[in-house]
Amino acid sequence: MKKTCYEDKQKYPQVFIPYDFHNDSKCFQNLEIPIPKKASSSVSKKGASEDHFKAYLVKYFSNQISSELELVLGDWLPKVPDFVLSDLDNKIFIDIEIDEPYSINDGTLFHYHGKDCDRNFTFIYNNWFVVRFTEEQVLKTPNECCQLVKQFVDYIAARLKGKAVTWQNNFQHIDESWSE
C-alpha cells in the first residue's frame, strides 16, 4: 500500500479515513481491526488541554471515550491516542488527537506540517479513523469540536448501513498547521 503524506499545508480539524472504509464501507466490518488495550503505566504525557476537552467528550459520548487506551501492533512501540472513541458493536475506533504547537517539556515545535504523517498512516492502515484538532480549537470551541466528531460518527454509521453519503467538514473555526 502506498503511504501518502501531505504536500499542501493542512487545515485543522483534520479527518483521516481508512483506505478500506473509503473503498468498500460495506465490507469494512468484516476486516481485521486491532482492538485497543488498557495503556501500560508508561502512558505518554498529556497536553494541557486534554482534561478540559475530555469533560466535553464524555458529555457527548459518555462511556465510548477513553484516554487510557493504546494500540499495540506487534513489536512496535504502542501508539497512545489522546482519546479513543470506541464503538465495539460496529468495530469503529477513532483516534482523537489534540495538537499543541509546542512541547510542554522544552518549548520545541512539536506538531508541525507533516510531523504526524507516519502516526496517522499507522492508524488508518489498521482501519482506525483519526480526527485532529488544534489545542486552540478544543479550548475555545469544545462543543463545536464534539459536534464535528458526532457528525463524523454519524457519517461512518450511515456508510456502514450502505447509504451513499459524503463527508462534509462544516467546522467554522479553521486553523492552519504549523511550519517547521
Side-chain angles (χ1 to χ4, degrees):
M1 172 181 290
K2 181 182 174 199
K3 178 169 76 170
T4 56
C5 207
Y6 318 109
E7 299 301 324
D8 298 327
K9 194 166 191 178
Q10 297 293 300
K11 296 189 184 297
Y12 283 86
Q14 298 174 348
V15 173
F16 300 94
I17 298 171
Y19 300 106
D20 292 329
F21 181 83
H22 185 70
N23 291 332
D24 189 357
S25 58
K26 289 181 186 175
C27 293
F28 185 75
Q29 291 175 305
N30 298 327
L31 298 173
E32 182 82 21
I33 300 174
I35 308 290
K37 298 175 176 24
K38 184 161 177 48
S40 63
S41 58
S42 60
V43 174
S44 64
K45 185 169 176 125
K46 298 291 184 184
S49 55
E50 270 86 351
D51 286 340
H52 171 79
F53 191 46
K54 184 176 182 179
Y56 287 87
L57 286 169
V58 168
K59 184 173 94 178
Y60 276 78
F61 303 103
S62 62
N63 62 348
Q64 290 185 302
I65 290 292
S66 177
S67 59
E68 299 173 1
L69 296 176
E70 63 186 10
L71 179 61
V72 180
L73 302 166
D75 294 333
W76 293 11
L77 287 175
K79 302 292 185 200
V80 182
D82 290 337
F83 302 100
V84 175
L85 189 151
S86 302
D87 178 347
L88 296 174
D89 294 335
N90 292 308
K91 289 177 47 177
I92 297 170
F93 300 98
I94 303 174
D95 166 20
I96 301 172
E97 297 286 340
I98 301 172
D99 290 350
E100 303 88 356
Y102 296 98
S103 169
I104 296 171
N105 298 333
D106 59 12
T108 58
L109 188 59
F110 192 65
H111 289 283
Y112 52 86
H113 172 67
K115 170 82 163 78
D116 295 304
C117 184
D118 287 339
R119 182 177 174 86
N120 292 338
F121 179 78
T122 298
F123 282 101
I124 63 174
Y125 181 77
N126 286 283
N127 295 312
W128 280 46
F129 299 85
V130 179
V131 178
R132 302 186 86 85
F133 296 103
T134 64
E135 184 176 45
E136 184 175 343
Q137 287 170 328
V138 300
L139 290 174
K140 290 185 176 179
T141 60
N143 283 309
E144 187 178 359
C145 294
C146 289
Q147 289 166 4
L148 179 121
V149 173
K150 174 76 171 93
Q151 290 166 354
F152 191 51
V153 169
D154 291 347
Y155 158 77
I156 295 167
R159 288 283 307 271
L160 288 174
K161 291 177 183 170
K163 295 182 181 174
V165 294
T166 305
W167 169 245
Q168 290 271 151
N169 182 346
N170 296 321
F171 199 81
Q172 298 297 310
H173 298 90
I174 303 296
D175 286 341
E176 288 193 7
S177 61
W178 304 280
S179 298
E180 260 185 292

